[in-house]
Amino acid sequence: MARRLLDRMIRMVERDKNRPSVIMWSLGNEAHTGKDLAEMANWVHRRDPSRPVHYEGDSACEYVDIHSWMYASHAEVEQIGRDGGMPFVQCEYAHAMGNGPGGRLEYRELFERYPNCHGGFVWEWIDHGIAQHDAQGREFFAYGGDFGEPIHDGSFVIDGLLFPDRTPSPGLLGFAKAIEPVRISEALTIENHYDVIGLDHLMFTWVLEEGVPRASGVLDVPEVAPRASVRLPMPQLPATSREAWLTVTAALADDEPHRCRRARRADRGQYRLHAHPASLRLTFRPVTI
């Protein structure tokens, strides 16, 4: 068994070692621990010392470089952050079942507060339903015993950020809002949460609505360095006599090789104007699209 495990590790590393998207190696998933896993880690460290090794099963962190948990609570992440030490990653968290994933904003705040807390991976990406039709010809997604199977996982295969037809769930839209790299907050503060790039690839536009659009324009946003922010003056807005909303949107200024403006989700902030904009009494409300 030890040789079989090591052979699998060797084949994976040799196959993918030149892929720039590979940032770390993982020994597997939910296979407990032991000398065979330690041997795999030791081989990877010798073969590719440039990348860290991850394995959630090594809870004592004896042969890995990443402290990894599944489904640590907010309180547990807080404690790990305060303790410092090794980089911490939730290899699974924020289970996307039912109304999940939950607690997204609180996790994001913890990941940003503590440098050793590096984030996590939502379980999971897509629901595993299979398109079927009922007696009336209406399509539905079958799972969890719908095919007459006596042993099944019930709804535990319907726990993804995408529906089975690949359309985004409300959970994905909410998660995207929680982790968006550009945040538009109170008093027109633009925050850049990218690690290595500025915001010059984006265009910032605004729309004033009073039931229907009243005015619109483009914001002149100066250079914003990674992890920096800038506060902009309010645009010149017409007077409002009833409830009005100012929506500011950040979207791609031009198409890029890996994404186009039509396909890319935009980052937005929205303000409720209670009176004439000169009073600047604003309430910020995040918007998910």
Side-chain angles (χ1 to χ4, degrees):
M1 177 59 73
R3 187 64 220 183
R4 292 178 182 176
L5 293 175
L6 184 57
D7 284 347
R8 290 181 181 180
M9 197 72 207
I10 293 172
R11 288 199 302 268
M12 179 182 70
V13 171
E14 298 298 347
R15 181 193 66 193
D16 297 333
K17 63 189 177 185
N18 292 322
R19 297 182 182 271
S21 60
V22 176
I23 61 172
M24 69 176 73
W25 301 110
S26 180
L27 305 183
N29 180 59
E30 297 181 347
H32 199 52
T33 187
K35 62 181 181 65
D36 295 344
L37 278 299
E39 184 178 349
M40 293 163 65
N42 291 334
W43 181 88
V44 175
H45 281 129
R46 293 193 302 270
R47 182 66 180 91
D48 182 15
S50 68
R51 293 182 176 101
V53 173
H54 161 276
Y55 180 54
E56 183 265 346
D58 181 16
S59 58
C61 299
E62 295 178 341
Y63 49 80
V64 294
D65 309 298
I66 306 292
H67 181 195
S68 177
W69 278 28
M70 291 185 180
Y71 305 105
S73 67
H74 296 137
E76 289 168 330
V77 175
E78 175 94 36
Q79 188 59 55
I80 291 171
R82 288 179 176 176
D83 291 343
M86 298 174 66
F88 172 69
V89 169
Q90 295 223 58
C91 60
E92 290 183 25
Y93 88 120
H95 196 191
M97 177 179 284
N99 289 329
R104 299 160 300 199
L105 179 59
E106 292 84 355
Y107 279 121
R108 186 200 80 190
E109 291 173 344
L110 290 167
F111 296 152
E112 292 180 348
R113 184 181 308 151
Y114 298 106
N116 63 311
C117 293
H118 285 207
F121 301 91
V122 174
W123 183 265
E124 63 176 317
W125 177 235
I126 191 168
D127 291 342
H128 298 284
I130 299 175
Q132 299 290 295
H133 292 85
D134 63 16
Q136 288 73 43
R138 295 171 298 189
E139 186 178 74
F140 72 99
F141 295 107
Y143 62 90
D146 288 337
F147 296 96
E149 65 274 28
I151 300 175
H152 54 79
D153 280 337
S155 60
F156 272 80
V157 296
I158 303 296
D159 56 358
L161 292 170
L162 297 182
F163 294 125
D165 62 356
R166 273 58 175 176
T167 57
S169 72
L172 176 58
L173 298 178
F175 182 65
K177 181 62 185 177
I179 65 170
E180 64 186 3
V182 180
R183 297 179 203 154
I184 306 166
S185 54
E186 290 88 345
L188 276 187
T189 299
I190 310 296
E191 302 175 34
N192 179 8
H193 288 266
Y194 285 113
D195 288 318
V196 295
I197 63 173
L199 302 183
D200 55 347
H201 64 295
L202 301 176
M203 176 183 291
F204 291 81
T205 58
W206 61 268
V207 176
L208 176 68
E209 296 177 281
E210 200 174 24
V212 295
R214 286 280 314 280
S216 62
V218 177
L219 291 175
D220 183 14
V221 179
E223 182 177 347
V224 185
R227 296 293 174 182
S229 64
V230 63
R231 182 172 176 174
L232 303 178
M234 289 290 292
Q236 293 295 318
L237 304 176
T240 57
S241 59
R242 53 188 175 138
E243 180 178 294
W245 292 87
L246 177 67
T247 302
V248 179
T249 302
L252 285 178
D254 297 294
D255 289 346
E256 296 185 4
H258 62 293
R259 57 192 179 185
C260 67
R261 282 172 286 178
R262 291 189 301 275
R264 188 187 185 279
R265 190 191 139 272
D267 296 336
R268 289 185 174 177
Q270 193 172 67
Y271 305 81
R272 181 178 181 180
L273 305 177
H274 293 280
H276 189 283
S279 68
L280 296 185
R281 185 184 174 199
L282 305 176
T283 301
F284 173 70
R285 184 181 72 171
V287 176
T288 299
I289 65 169

